[in-house]
Amino acid sequence: MSKPLSGIKIIDFTHVQAGPACTQLLAWYGADVIKVERPGSGDVTRSQLRDIPGVDALYFTMLNSNKRSLTLDTKTPQGKEVLTKLIKECDVLVENFGPGALDRMGFTWEHINELNPGMIVASVKGFSDGHHYEDLKVYENVAQCAGGAASTTGFDDGPPTVSAAALGDSNTGMHLAIGILTALHGRNKTGKGQKVAVSMQDSVLNLCRVKLRDQQRLDRIGYLEEYPQYPHGKFSDVVPRGGNAGGGGQPGWVLKCKGWETDPNAYIYFTIQGHAWAPICKAIGKEEWTSDPAYMTAEARQDKIFDIFATIEVWLADKTKFEAVDILRKFDIPCAPVLTMKEIANDPSLRASGTITEVDHKERGKYLTVGSPIKFSDMTVEITGSPLLGEHTDEVLGTLGYTAAQIADLHAAKAV
């Protein structure tokens, strides 16, 4: 079945995580993504954090499924010629080079636009153009710090903390994919290509908008009632680290379950919503709280919230995290077990939905990877293994009109 992005051809000049996450998403939905790599070495993640000697690392395979690999040395005249033909044939070029790298390669925006007026050039940046840090090299954790996430993550008596979630990398890739699709839709109306850029700092900040909300509230009233520092602690003039607080006005915390002494993940996240207060009281055997003025309202409960959590932990003491959630969900109480990566990898629901999928690799064999987080009613997203370095070089060159003899010459010249 033809997929929604079938017919869209993408030159993928990205490496590591942010860019490859973007182009992989588009490949899942039907785009022909041609990953352009340096001959002999390719994307650095092919060899980073290897678990099998001499085989593409999981770091690479989990970010480059459904793509084709073309090796190309754009420093050679022959390589530049191949890239010129690619630009004329393709719809999108995605890159996460350092500032000015494409220009130095001889492919300025003006030149690309001449070759293909409909071309969309999409770029991952560390900081937006014109930012006073625009020349700073940026990685995942740098972006989390520069985007405001780290200063608000962790506990108040500890240092700023970065998240294990790829807020700087994969999150930036998702934003760039949205930008590319928007530009493609715009081109359908105008026939014109354009430049699209997403910075890692901006993408992190976009996910931290509720903390920007809280800064403005703090500036106005001097406290934040949903943070654990309220009402007994003190606030400075910046949004504090909130520990495991919910952040959305509903008190929540990570609570111990049976086995926590030996299992560091024997916990659940428990949220106390106003409308769920009566069911919570019933579930934990404290129904008298529903009519006690000291507990009846969210405002009355706030100064006792950690005492309430402690009472819930007593109720949880003889229940595993899964047993507890199975009981609590019958009362429509927002909660979840703290799942490990091992539990997620083996979760039958995630396997059935395609969120976790097993694919084949020509050298590695079977491996697990993430599937599409977006589900469609009329499309099944098929995840295929990542390409070997240069696996599709001759195939791509053939589609550009090169003969077998010309392809042999390109190999001899070490242009591909």
Side-chain angles (χ1 to χ4, degrees):
M1 183 181 70
S2 178
K3 294 184 177 179
L5 298 185
S6 292
I8 299 297
K9 293 184 178 180
I10 298 176
I11 304 167
D12 181 5
F13 260 121
T14 68
H15 53 283
V16 190
Q17 185 174 171
C22 165
T23 52
Q24 177 175 255
L25 192 75
L26 301 175
W28 285 346
Y29 305 147
D32 178 11
V33 175
I34 302 167
K35 185 174 180 72
V36 182
E37 301 184 77
R38 184 178 299 149
S41 56
D43 190 321
V44 67
T45 59
R46 285 186 182 270
S47 59
Q48 282 187 335
L49 307 176
R50 273 183 170 144
D51 58 316
I52 303 175
V55 174
D56 288 339
L58 288 166
Y59 197 176
F60 177 85
T61 66
M62 294 178 69
L63 284 159
N64 291 282
S65 56
N66 295 59
K67 302 179 185 179
R68 296 196 287 168
S69 173
L70 162 72
T71 52
L72 187 65
D73 184 352
T74 56
K75 292 180 180 178
T76 67
Q78 299 94 329
K80 292 183 191 299
E81 179 187 273
V82 173
L83 181 53
T84 297
K85 290 187 177 184
L86 266 177
I87 289 171
K88 290 179 178 179
E89 293 287 327
C90 291
D91 302 278
V92 184
L93 186 154
V94 191
E95 58 90 16
N96 59 350
F97 294 127
L102 268 182
D103 293 357
R104 292 190 296 274
M105 201 184 293
F107 291 89
T108 63
W109 162 246
E110 291 75 18
H111 182 46
I112 292 172
N113 195 239
E114 276 181 13
L115 294 172
N116 183 349
M119 173 65 76
I120 291 152
V121 175
S123 303
V124 173
K125 306 282 189 183
F127 297 87
S128 291
D129 289 344
H131 192 283
H132 53 278
Y133 286 153
E134 67 177 343
D135 61 341
L136 189 65
K137 195 167 189 175
V138 177
Y139 291 112
E140 169 66 48
N141 293 344
V142 174
Q144 288 196 33
C145 291
S151 71
T152 60
T153 303
F155 291 87
D156 202 36
D157 58 354
T161 306
V162 296
S163 169
L167 305 181
D169 276 328
S170 283
N171 166 47
T172 300
M174 302 302 106
H175 278 87
L176 188 62
I178 294 169
I180 290 169
L181 294 174
T182 302
L184 285 169
H185 188 64
R187 191 185 68 178
N188 289 339
K189 296 180 178 181
T190 66
K192 295 181 180 179
Q194 61 177 305
K195 293 193 290 183
V196 178
V198 176
S199 88
M200 296 172 74
Q201 181 191 39
D202 293 357
S203 297
V204 172
L205 177 57
N206 194 39
L207 295 191
C208 291
R209 69 184 70 183
V210 296
K211 300 301 182 181
L212 185 60
R213 171 204 68 189
D214 292 347
Q215 183 63 57
Q216 295 173 87
R217 292 169 56 229
L218 182 64
D219 289 342
R220 185 174 296 277
I221 61 178
Y223 62 89
L224 299 166
E225 67 271 15
E226 76 278 17
Y227 280 66
Q229 291 83 349
Y230 179 86
H232 305 296
K234 293 183 178 179
F235 288 85
S236 71
D237 62 348
V238 299
V239 174
R241 290 182 272 287
N244 289 314
Q250 310 296 339
W253 209 252
V254 171
L255 304 180
K256 301 171 186 172
C257 293
K258 179 181 177 180
W260 68 271
E261 299 91 342
T262 56
D263 180 356
N265 294 291
Y267 291 80
I268 66 169
Y269 195 87
F270 193 104
T271 303
I272 297 176
Q273 287 185 305
H275 71 269
W277 180 241
I280 289 170
C281 295
K282 186 175 181 180
I284 67 173
K286 297 292 288 185
E287 291 184 80
E288 66 272 17
W289 279 354
T290 59
S291 56
D292 185 337
Y295 292 89
M296 285 172 60
T297 66
E299 291 75 17
R301 293 191 291 272
Q302 187 59 51
D303 65 343
K304 297 178 284 294
I305 196 65
F306 283 98
D307 294 331
I308 294 170
F309 286 141
T311 299
I312 297 171
E313 280 193 334
V314 171
W315 178 82
L316 290 167
D318 64 348
K319 302 169 185 67
T320 69
K321 61 187 178 184
F322 298 110
E323 291 169 342
V325 170
D326 280 343
I327 294 169
L328 295 170
R329 65 180 181 170
K330 295 174 183 175
F331 292 87
D332 201 26
I333 296 168
C335 62
V338 173
L339 295 177
T340 66
M341 284 297 112
K342 191 175 186 69
E343 288 165 336
I344 285 173
N346 295 310
D347 189 308
S349 294
L350 295 178
R351 294 289 191 102
S353 69
T355 301
I356 295 288
T357 185
E358 188 175 69
V359 296
D360 288 311
H361 185 269
K362 291 178 179 65
E363 295 179 344
R364 168 176 287 279
K366 293 186 180 300
Y367 68 96
L368 286 184
T369 189
V370 294
S372 174
I374 305 167
K375 313 302 181 189
F376 301 88
S377 64
D378 199 32
M379 180 177 71
T380 299
V381 180
E382 180 187 3
I383 310 297
T384 61
S386 62
L388 301 179
L389 179 61
E391 180 180 349
H392 304 96
T393 296
D394 291 0
E395 177 182 292
V396 172
L397 293 173
T399 64
L400 293 176
Y402 286 91
T403 66
Q406 289 172 323
I407 292 172
D409 288 342
L410 288 171
H411 283 288
K414 296 184 178 180
V416 296

